[in-house]
């Protein structure tokens, strides 16, 4: 049972790290969209917001398991 929990924790940590990288990437896309106009900027902001929410959701789940995700 312990190895199953450790495996689940490791998988959740990996998922969190992917979500964190995706959120950072989407945030960077906002700058790129700046040259394309307000509609592109808004789309990039919306996408970045969703990615950040996913990241935060995984961070919250990890915090409940006692895993510190702060850098």
């Amino acid at each position: 049972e312990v190895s199953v929990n450790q495996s689940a924790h490791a998988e959740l940590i990996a998922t969190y790290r992917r979500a964190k990288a995706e959120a950072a990437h989407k945030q960077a896309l906002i700058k790129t969209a700046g040259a394309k106009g307000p509609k592109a900027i808004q789309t990039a902001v919306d996408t970045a917001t969703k990615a950040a929410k996913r990241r935060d959701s995984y961070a919250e789940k990890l915090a409940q398991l006692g895993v510190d995700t702060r850098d």
Side-chain angles (χ1 to χ4, degrees), residues 19-62:
K20 182 178 175 183
E22 178 189 15
H25 175 72
K26 300 293 184 185
Q27 189 67 34
L29 289 178
I30 294 171
K31 293 176 186 173
T32 303
K36 296 181 181 182
K39 189 172 182 177
I41 293 169
Q42 187 59 51
T43 300
V45 167
D46 292 344
T47 303
T49 300
K50 290 176 187 176
K53 285 181 182 180
R54 279 191 300 277
R55 176 203 60 211
D56 294 346
S57 174
Y58 288 118
E60 184 178 319
K61 290 176 184 179
L62 287 167

Side-chain angles (χ1 to χ4, degrees), residues 3 7 14 16-17 23 45 49 54 56 58-59 69-70:
S3 64
S7 177
Y16 165 75
R17 287 181 179 154
V45 167
T49 300
R54 279 191 300 277
D56 294 346
Y58 288 118
T69 58
R70 290 177 288 165

